[in-house]
Amino acid sequence: MLDLSYETPKPKVIAGAKHDWELVIGLEVHAQVASKAKLFSGASTKFGAEPNSNVAFVDAAMPGMLPVINEFCVEQAVRTGLGLKAQINLKSAFDRKNYFYPDLPQGYQISQLYHPIVGEGEVLVDMEPGIARLVRIERIHIEQDAGKSIHDMDPNMSFVDLNRTGVALMEIVSRPDIRGPEEAAAYVTKLRQILRYLGTCDGNMQNGNLRADVNVSICLPGQYEKYQETGDFSHLGTRCEIKNMNSMRFIQAAIDYEARRQIAIVEAGGTVDQETRLYDPDKGETRSMRSKEEAHDYRYFPDPDLLPLEIEQAWVDEIAASLPELPDAKKARFVTEFGLSEYDASVLTADTANASYFEEVANGTDGKLAANWVINELFGRLKKEDHSIEDSPVSPAQLAGIIKLIQKGDISGKIAKDLFEIVYTEGGDPARIVEDRGMKQVTDTGAIEAAVDEIIAANPAQVEKAKANPKLAGWFVGQVMKATGGKANPKAVNEIVAAKLGQ
Amino acid sequence: MSDLTKLTVADARDALRTGDVTSVELTEACLTAIDGADALGAFVHKTPEIALEQAGAADARIKAGDAPDMCGIPMGIKDLFCTNGVASQAASRILEGFKPEYESTVTSQLFDAGAVMLGKLNMDEFAMGSSNETSCYGNAVNPWRRGNDDTLLTPGGSSGGSASAVAADLCLAATGTDTGGSIRQPAAFTGIVGIKPTYGRCSRWGVVAFASSLDQAGPMAKTVRDAAIVLRTMAGHDPKDSTSADLAVPDFEAMLTGDIRGKKIGIPAEYRMEGTPAEIEKLWADGANMLRDAGAEIVDISLPHAKYALPAYYVIAPAEASSNLARYDGVRYGHRAKLAQGDGITEMYEKTRAEGFGHEVQRRVMVGTYVLSAGFYDAYYNRARKVRTLIKKDFEDAFAAGIDAILTPATPSAAFGLGEMTEADPVQMYLNDVFTVTVNLAGLPGISVPAGIDKQGLPLGLQLIGRPWEEGDLLNTAYALENAAGFVEKPSKWW
C-alpha cells in the first residue's frame, strides 16, 4: 500500500477586533453500529418502527433483567478500530454512567470510560488534492444509546420512545487536532467514508446514526504549537462543547459562530466558561445547555452485571484480514494504477459503490477515459434523475463496451455520447447497437476523401479563404462530419482536409 | 400420613415416588398451615390456585414415571424473584402492583422440575436489612421464642420470610438470596440450613438486583440433604446472565457421604471478636470438636483482612444498589407519586422515590451515591474494591495451603427481638453480617448449619465456607457437622 504525499493545511484564522485568532477543535462522533440487534438485547434496531415496539425487557429496565453483550457489535468496533489504524485492546470493560432521565430507563448508560475497546488511531482528512490533516484518534468505546423524549405533543405530558434505547454506538473521540470549521466537516466526512467502507455504520446523519459533539476553543497564533510541543492544554483557551450535531453544514456554522462568540468575550476582557452548549440552526447560534457547575456527576463505576470484555488476538487478526481496501489506499492506487488525477481519484473513491463501478469499467479499457466517462457522463446523468450508482441503468460492462468502441476507433466521442444515451434509456449491447443502427465511424479514407472532394468542389470561395487562413480548415471538417452524419473518423477527416487544402 | 408439612424434601420426594402421598395432599397441607400462620407474616402473596394446579400436574408426571427430585415439592419463593403474573415487589412500595411478564431463571428451573409455588415470601425491602423489619408488608416473625417469653423475635433478614416459613413447616423448602448474609443469618436465627453458593452458580436473571457483584440465590431448607437437592435444581449456567458460570452442576446429594476424614478445617483467628457472647464462642469450639471427632484436622488460620470486610461491604453494596435502584423512577411500572400542578420530572422522581423507598433503602442509596461521587470515589469505592481483592486473596491463600473449609459462627448472636435494633445506630444492625459478608466479597460458597440451642432456647448456627465451585464438598462437610450436632429441636407452635 502506498500513500500519497500531502501538505498540512493552514489553520483557519478569524480576525477579531484586536487580534487574529486560531481555532482548536476536537470531536466526539457517535456512530450507530450497523447491527440488526441492540448492544445488550435482542431487540431490533430498525429505524422508523412504531414507538416502543423495538423494546426488550432489559431495554425497558424491568426488574431483574440483565444485559448480555452482542458479539457482532464488538466485532464492528474492532473492525472500526482496525480501519482507523488504531490499537485494539484485548481487554476492555463496561462502566455505568449514572443519571436520571425518562428516556434512560436503567438510570444509567452502559459505556466504557476506564477501559475502552479501541485505543489510539488516526484519520487522514483530505482538504484538497495534496493538502490533508492527520487527525489523531484518542479512543473508541462502545456504549448504549438513550431513547427519545418528546415534549411538544401535549401541553402537560411528555412522551418517551424506547426504540433507540440500548442501540449500540461507537464513540470515536479525536484529539484537538482540527483547526477550522471546514476541517471539522471534512473530518466527519472522511470518518463517515471510512465507516461506510468498513460497513460498521451506515453514516446516515438524518436518522441520527452519525452525530457529533464538537469541542471548540480559541487561541492566539503560536499558542497551539506550544500546546503541541508540551501537551499542556493551558496554552489553549477554555473549550465549550456543542452537543449532538447531525449535519455537516450545522457543524461548520456552529463552530464558526461559537469561535466568534468566544473571541468577542475574550476581547471584551471576559473569560469563556467551560460549558455544554446547543446549536440552534434556526437562529444560527449556540446557547448554553448547562454550565460546569450544573454538570452531572455521572458516578461512573464498573458495571457489575458484565464481566470484563476479553477478546483474542487471533480473532482480531481474522477481522483485520477481512478488512476491505480503505479510501486512502484505494485513492493512491487509482492514481498510480490508472493514472488518474488525485481529484478524480477522490471523486471515484468517495464511496465503495462508485469505486468498484469505476474499476469494473477501467479494467480492460483505459483508466483516464473510464474516469472521464464515469464522472462526467454517468454521474451527471444519474444526478439528473436522482439515481444512485446502485440503480444505474448502464452497467459497468455496458459503459466499458462504449469506451472500447471509442478506443477501437469505431465511434467518435460525439457518437459515443449518443450511444450512451441510447444504452441509458433503452439498454442493449453497445457494439450491437452501433452495428444495427449504422453508427460506426467511417475510417475508410476513400469514402472520406470523396466527401472532402465534394465539399471542396462545392465551395471554391471558402477554399480560397482557407488557403490564406489555415484556421478556417475547421469549417471543412465540420461540413464533412455533417455530411457523413458524424460517423467519419475526425482524425482522418482532419488529415485529409489539411492535405487537400495543401496545408 | 400425618403432618405432611413436617416432611423433609428428601422424604417427601421418596413418598411421592412410592405413591404414599400426592403432591396435591402435600400442597393442601401446606396451604392450610400457611392460612393458619398469618401471625408469622411469612407469606405476603399466597398463590393457592397456582400451587394446586402445579401439584396436580406434578402428580400426573410422577404417575407417568417422569419425576425429577423437586417434582411435587411445595416451596415458598422469596419476593425478590420475579414470578410470571404473580406480584413480585421485593417487599417495596415502589414496586406496588408490579407483576412481571417473565419468570426468573431459578424459579423456572424449579417449576420445570415440577416444584410447586405456594406463594411469595416476606423479606427486607430490596434485601436490605438483617431483621426483615424494612419490608413494606410489615415484618416476618420468627417461630422461635425465648422459652416462655412471648416477645416476638426477628427471623433475621433479608430472607426472613423464607426462614420463618421453613422453620414453621409452612413449606418444605424456600428460595432465598444472599448479598451479605441474607440466607445464612436467617437460617441460623431459625434453626434451618441455608447455603449461599459460589457467585455465578445460580443465575441472577429475573432476581431483583440489590448489589449485582454480591447477589446470589440459594436454598433454605430443613436439612443439609434438602439444601443439596434444591440447590441442584436452582443452579446452572444461564446465557442470560453474563456472570453465570458455564460449569456442570454435580449431583450434590450423591456427594453426601458424611465422610470428612482427612479434611482440613480452618479456624480463622480474626473471627474471634471482642464482645462475642460466650455461648457463640462455645458453639464454635464445639463445632470444631465435632468435625475433629469426625476425622477432620482442625487448623488455625489467618484471614488478615477480615476486619475490613464489613466497611468494604457497606461501601460496595450501597454503591451498586444506588445505581441498580435508579430504574425505580415511577416512569414505567410500580408506584408513581401523585403530582401537584406545575410539578415536573424532577418532582416526579423525588416524590415517587421518597414515597416508594423505605428509610433503610433511602439510606443505602444515599450512601452509595456519596461513595461514587467525584472526589470521593477513590477514597471509598476504589479503596473498598482493593480491600475486596485482598480479602479474596486471604481465602485463596488459605485454600492454597490445603484448607478444605473454614468454620466460623454464622451470627454474632441468637435472634433478637423485633424492634430492639430499630432505634439503634444502623451500624449495630450491620454488625449482624460481620461473619458472613467476607464470603460474598470473595464470591465463595458458604453454608449455615444449626448446631445448638442457647440458654434461652434459641437456635444457633455455624457457618462453613468452602472452595469456589465445590459446593458438593462443602455440603458434605456440613452434613457431617449436622449429623454430629444432632440438632432436632423445633419451635413449639404458638401462632
Side-chain angles (χ1 to χ4, degrees), chain B residues 169-430:
Chain B
D169 291 324
L170 307 184
C171 55
L172 273 57
T175 62
T177 64
D178 190 317
T179 305
S182 282
I183 285 176
R184 291 158 289 157
Q185 183 253 25
F189 278 9
T190 55
I192 65 168
V193 176
I195 179 168
K196 181 205 89 77
T198 315
Y199 182 80
R201 183 60 101 174
C202 290
S203 169
R204 294 184 296 112
W205 194 88
V207 182
V208 174
F210 162 13
S212 312
S213 75
L214 301 159
D215 296 343
Q216 261 299 291
M220 301 180 71
K222 297 175 188 179
T223 64
V224 171
R225 178 176 298 277
D226 284 6
I229 294 169
V230 183
L231 177 60
R232 186 186 181 194
T233 306
M234 291 173 71
H237 178 235
D238 179 7
K240 291 188 287 189
D241 173 0
S242 309
T243 62
S244 145
D246 192 359
L247 290 175
V249 179
D251 182 348
F252 298 124
E253 188 188 9
M255 297 171 81
L256 303 180
T257 60
D259 181 0
I260 57 164
R261 283 173 300 172
K263 295 278 179 196
K264 279 190 181 177
I265 308 295
I267 307 290
E270 291 76 9
Y271 280 60
R272 284 183 215 289
M273 287 180 215
E274 228 174 289
T276 305
E279 279 181 303
I280 301 277
E281 295 277 5
K282 183 175 178 301
L283 178 81
W284 191 10
D286 289 349
N289 288 333
M290 289 178 216
L291 293 172
R292 183 184 289 118
D293 291 346
E297 184 188 339
I298 305 299
V299 184
D300 284 327
I301 62 163
S302 173
L303 300 169
H305 298 91
K307 61 179 169 221
Y308 304 115
L310 200 64
Y313 173 84
Y314 275 97
V315 169
I316 291 169
E320 293 183 14
S322 71
S323 176
N324 281 336
L325 270 58
R327 65 188 57 199
Y328 307 106
D329 55 7
V331 174
R332 297 168 311 286
Y333 46 78
H335 180 72
R336 181 190 290 180
K338 280 206 168 51
L339 299 182
Q341 196 65 34
D343 279 355
I345 185 69
T346 306
E347 288 78 11
M348 184 174 117
Y349 288 148
E350 286 174 357
K351 292 183 179 180
T352 297
R353 289 165 67 84
E355 290 173 10
F357 291 140
H359 288 307
E360 184 57 28
V361 171
Q362 290 182 13
R363 179 180 359 253
R364 297 200 197 188
V365 167
M366 284 190 279
V367 167
T369 303
Y370 180 82
V371 298
L372 288 176
S373 337
F376 299 104
Y377 182 85
D378 284 329
Y380 292 102
Y381 183 73
N382 245 355
R383 180 162 299 192
R385 285 181 78 205
K386 286 177 191 163
V387 169
R388 182 177 189 174
T389 307
L390 293 172
I391 288 168
K392 204 171 169 189
K393 193 173 171 298
D394 284 351
F395 281 106
E396 285 165 2
D397 291 347
F399 293 133
I403 296 298
D404 293 294
I406 295 163
L407 181 74
T408 78
T411 58
S413 74
F416 48 88
L418 286 165
E420 272 175 20
M421 296 278 251
T422 45
E423 296 305 313
D425 180 337
V427 174
Q428 285 304 310
M429 188 70 99
Y430 298 166

Side-chain angles (χ1 to χ4, degrees), chain B residues 406-494:
Chain B
I406 295 163
L407 181 74
T408 78
T411 58
S413 74
F416 48 88
L418 286 165
E420 272 175 20
M421 296 278 251
T422 45
E423 296 305 313
D425 180 337
V427 174
Q428 285 304 310
M429 188 70 99
Y430 298 166
L431 282 171
N432 265 288
D433 304 332
V434 70
F435 296 127
T436 47
V437 289
T438 48
V439 175
N440 300 79
L441 289 169
L444 301 172
I447 187 167
S448 173
V449 181
I453 292 278
D454 75 358
K455 281 197 290 270
Q456 296 174 300
L458 294 179
L460 295 172
L462 285 174
Q463 171 178 243
L464 281 161
I465 303 166
R467 296 164 177 268
W469 313 115
E470 294 189 8
E471 289 89 351
D473 196 49
L474 178 67
L475 282 158
N476 187 42
T477 306
Y479 182 61
L481 181 64
E482 181 184 51
N483 287 339
F487 182 92
V488 291
E489 288 81 353
K490 283 285 202 179
S492 42
K493 189 172 182 306
W494 53 263

Side-chain angles (χ1 to χ4, degrees), chain A residues 78 88-91 309-319:
Chain A
V78 170
I88 305 300
N89 296 324
L90 297 181
K91 190 167 174 184
L309 181 58
E310 291 181 44
I311 56 177
E312 283 170 18
Q313 187 59 47
W315 189 57
V316 175
D317 293 343
E318 213 174 285
I319 298 169

Side-chain angles (χ1 to χ4, degrees), chain A residues 65 68 124 189 193 254 306 342 415 450 489:
Chain A
M65 293 298 96
V68 176
L124 187 65
T189 305
Q193 182 191 20
L306 293 159
E342 196 187 326
I415 294 286
N489 181 328

Side-chain angles (χ1 to χ4, degrees), chain A residues 83-340:
Chain A
L84 302 184
K85 299 176 187 162
Q87 179 203 328
I88 305 300
N89 296 324
L90 297 181
K91 190 167 174 184
S92 64
F94 291 98
D95 303 297
R96 292 185 183 178
K97 176 181 181 179
N98 295 281
Y99 66 96
F100 283 93
Y101 208 67
D103 60 24
L104 185 75
Q106 294 169 140
Y108 54 85
Q109 176 195 33
I110 305 178
S111 181
Q112 296 188 303
L113 176 71
Y114 298 110
H115 305 285
I117 185 158
V118 178
E120 294 188 333
E122 61 185 44
V123 175
L124 187 65
V125 180
D126 318 273
M127 299 307 296
E128 48 189 281
I131 305 218
R133 169 88 64 195
L134 189 69
V135 174
R136 295 167 301 159
I137 299 297
E138 186 182 320
R139 57 185 282 160
I140 304 175
H141 62 257
I142 25 187
E143 63 183 22
Q144 298 177 296
D145 203 350
K148 198 165 79 177
S149 294
I150 306 148
H151 301 295
D152 55 5
M153 278 174 68
D154 184 283
N156 298 315
M157 283 193 285
S158 289
F159 292 84
V160 176
D161 178 4
L162 299 182
N163 282 352
R164 199 181 257 287
T165 303
V167 164
L169 301 178
M170 296 178 282
E171 182 171 329
I172 305 165
V173 183
S174 86
R175 299 271 183 199
D177 290 353
I178 299 162
R179 306 302 314 282
E182 298 79 13
E183 280 185 31
Y187 165 77
V188 178
T189 305
K190 183 62 179 280
L191 198 55
R192 182 172 64 170
Q193 182 191 20
I194 296 171
L195 295 171
R196 284 178 167 168
Y197 264 65
L198 293 166
T200 57
C201 169
D202 71 11
N204 187 329
M205 295 183 86
Q206 242 167 4
N207 292 354
N209 297 354
L210 193 79
R211 283 122 58 192
D213 298 343
V214 185
N215 286 283
V216 183
S217 67
I218 51 160
C219 67
L220 291 170
Q223 292 299 105
Y224 185 79
E225 288 69 23
K226 284 186 189 165
Y227 151 71
Q228 273 189 316
E229 279 162 30
T230 59
D232 180 356
F233 284 99
S234 69
H235 294 294
L236 306 178
T238 304
R239 67 189 161 85
C240 288
E241 182 180 19
I242 315 166
K243 279 275 184 204
N244 230 7
M245 317 268 286
N246 66 346
S247 122
M248 304 289 184
R249 198 159 54 84
F250 294 166
I251 288 173
Q252 295 193 55
I255 293 172
D256 191 69
Y257 175 88
E258 180 58 21
R260 288 174 198 279
R261 184 186 75 86
Q262 292 180 15
I263 291 167
I265 291 172
V266 175
E267 290 202 339
T271 50
V272 174
D273 292 327
Q274 187 179 330
E275 59 183 1
T276 305
R277 301 179 68 84
L278 279 179
Y279 178 68
D280 179 344
D282 296 331
K283 293 187 178 150
E285 59 187 37
T286 64
R287 56 186 150 74
S288 181
M289 191 171 135
R290 54 177 178 256
S291 69
K292 197 179 175 185
E293 290 70 38
E294 295 166 305
H296 295 298
D297 180 351
Y298 290 119
R299 291 170 283 123
Y300 278 99
F301 77 107
D303 192 325
D305 284 333
L306 293 159
L307 299 172
L309 181 58
E310 291 181 44
I311 56 177
E312 283 170 18
Q313 187 59 47
W315 189 57
V316 175
D317 293 343
E318 213 174 285
I319 298 169
S322 77
L323 288 195
E325 183 183 33
L326 290 169
D328 292 339
K330 200 182 278 287
K331 190 169 93 175
R333 185 168 63 81
F334 280 13
V335 168
T336 51
E337 190 175 318
F338 296 111
L340 306 188

